[in-house]
């Protein structure tokens, strides 16, 4: 698990009532990609992070943050 980056993707998905698969299809990645980002096994590229933020219509910092 990555200790440098945390995310709130699961929270945003729950608030919007969408599945990992729905989010994945909307931004053009696989469900497994969303899953591995959510659980901290994979650090997303800047492009993927920005696409997720754009999907939820929030600044990227509301979803991703550095853990100090």
């Amino acid at each position: 698990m990555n200790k440098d980056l945390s995310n709130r993707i699961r929270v945003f998905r729950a608030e919007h009532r969408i599945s990992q698969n729905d989010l994945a299809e909307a931004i053009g990645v696989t469900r497994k990609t969303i899953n591995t980002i959510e659980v901290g096994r994979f650090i997303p590229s800047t492009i993927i992070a920005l696409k997720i933020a754009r999907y939820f219509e929030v600044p990227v910092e509301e979803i991703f943050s550095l853990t100090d």
Side-chain angles (χ1 to χ4, degrees), residues 3-68:
K3 294 181 174 84
D4 297 324
L5 185 70
S6 63
N7 72 75
R8 300 180 62 231
I9 298 171
R10 183 171 285 134
V11 173
F12 277 88
R13 284 195 309 98
E15 289 173 354
H16 291 80
R17 293 182 172 88
I18 65 163
S19 68
Q20 288 180 343
N21 197 60
D22 292 337
L23 177 57
E25 286 183 3
I27 68 164
V29 299
T30 65
R31 184 206 59 80
K32 184 175 181 180
T33 297
I34 298 299
N35 177 265
T36 57
I37 294 169
E38 271 189 17
V39 300
R41 283 195 310 262
F42 177 71
I43 298 174
S45 68
T46 305
I47 292 171
I48 291 174
L50 289 169
K51 284 183 176 183
I52 292 169
R54 179 188 288 167
Y55 178 85
F56 290 116
E57 299 179 337
V58 296
V60 72
E61 296 87 356
E62 284 193 35
I63 299 176
F64 296 95
S65 60
L66 293 173
T67 54
D68 298 323

